[in-house]
Amino acid sequence: MQADNPTLADRLATAIADGILNGTLTPGLRLDEIGLARQHGVSRTPVREALRQLMQSGLIDMRPRKGAVVSKATPVQIESLFVAMAEMEATCARLAAMSMTPIERRRLQARHDAMTALAAAGDPDAYSDANVALHSAIYAGAHNAPIAEFALGLRRRVGPFRRAQFQVEGRLRRSNQEHDAVVRAILSGDAAGAHAAMLHHVSLVEDAFETFAATNAA
């Protein structure tokens, strides 16, 4: 799936979002397309796509005569995104528990086992990339294309905030434990349990991001 092979625009969006969320790129700063293209050694096309993704997340504004300007997503905007994401992912987990094929279940277990090793190694970047792939496998395992596409779209909007939460101390281990409950429910065909475990997981993701944001605002 696309999430296993992030595009150049996806990688640019991640780099810019990291700068915004850690305070390197401050609110009100103008993001020049040409300058970003030169900085990253790319054409302006992936830069435009990256900025479009970040606008959907509320991290930048597009202003007349100024172009892209660093913004700051409000707590209400972020909460709304996480609520929508939790509902979509919980639905995907429920459907995956009912619909995943045996080979999809084995692959999901393998992804989870690999993430356990990454959590133990304390590698937030690699864990974050693997996390996208794990959740994407659950979307695909739902075997409902419209729902999977909608979940992926929401994922791109929430992505910068989900990635940032892995900077919180101890979060990799806790995230992996939460995944364990989701994966076990899916593999056992427990649709209701998978739904509940995923709702709980995404609520804790939001809590972890709030901790990250409070720490970086201090």
Side-chain angles (χ1 to χ4, degrees), residues 86 126 183 204:
V183 170
L204 294 177

Side-chain angles (χ1 to χ4, degrees), residues 100-115:
M100 266 190 167
T101 66
I103 192 169
E104 286 175 326
R105 293 174 195 269
R106 289 195 295 272
R107 287 172 177 168
L108 182 66
Q109 181 67 64
R111 287 187 185 278
H112 176 52
D113 291 344
M115 291 184 70

Side-chain angles (χ1 to χ4, degrees), residues 71-87:
S71 182
K72 186 175 182 180
T74 68
V76 171
Q77 287 175 313
I78 295 171
E79 181 181 8
S80 294
L81 285 173
F82 272 109
V83 168
M85 190 79 261
E87 293 294 337

